[in-house]
Amino acid sequence: MNNYILLTPGPLTTSETVRQAMMKDWCTWDKEYNEGIIMPIRKELLQLAGVDEENYTTVLLQGSGTYCVEATLGCTVKDTDQLLIFANGAYGDRMGEIARYYNLNHTVITLPETEPVTGKIVEETLQQHPAATHVAVVHCETTTGILNQLEEIACVLKGKNHLHSRCDE
């Protein structure tokens, strides 16, 4: 068997142990599934977001990446908001198509497919679009393998200096 390494998400190059774990059928009503897998993931997502269970919850979506992007944009961006979409490939372009479909107030910032979206680019764009309320960017533009610089972007959006390797809390 060839051990190919494909640097895109998905079960294409998962290890044998992961494939074996995937061999079990899970049902949404199984206690082991809900309490052992789903609830810990939901709690960890809240912790990651820095919010509490009293006021927030998480909803796990099962579907393609495009499905999740559509659900997120369709549910979080209001008519009065201004969305900036950074596109450096097919998936970024698709976010623009979704925004058009939902008639969202948006601007697509198109970069070459060989250029990652960086904190500096986001910072400069936000200065040109001060009314922006939301930013959308794909982490891994799998059509080209480009990794957009999420940590830098997050630091800019938190109002921190993007040149730091990590944002100060």
Side-chain angles (χ1 to χ4, degrees), residues 108-164:
V108 177
I109 309 302
T110 303
L111 291 104
E113 289 184 349
T114 56
E115 183 177 345
V117 181
T118 64
K120 183 176 182 180
I121 291 168
V122 171
E123 187 172 50
E124 290 169 354
T125 304
L126 286 170
Q127 290 171 358
Q128 297 166 3
H129 299 270
T133 58
H134 294 71
V135 169
V137 63
V138 174
H139 179 214
C140 177
E141 181 54 67
T142 55
T143 54
T144 61
I146 292 285
L147 282 176
N148 292 315
Q149 304 301 304
L150 288 187
E151 190 173 310
E152 287 181 17
I153 294 166
C155 289
V156 167
L157 297 176
K158 286 180 79 173
K160 305 292 183 182
N161 183 344
H162 71 275
L163 299 175
H164 293 271

Side-chain angles (χ1 to χ4, degrees), residues 68-81:
C68 294
V69 168
E70 181 177 352
T72 300
L73 293 179
C75 292
T76 60
V77 181
K78 297 180 249 168
D79 293 343
T80 56
D81 292 332

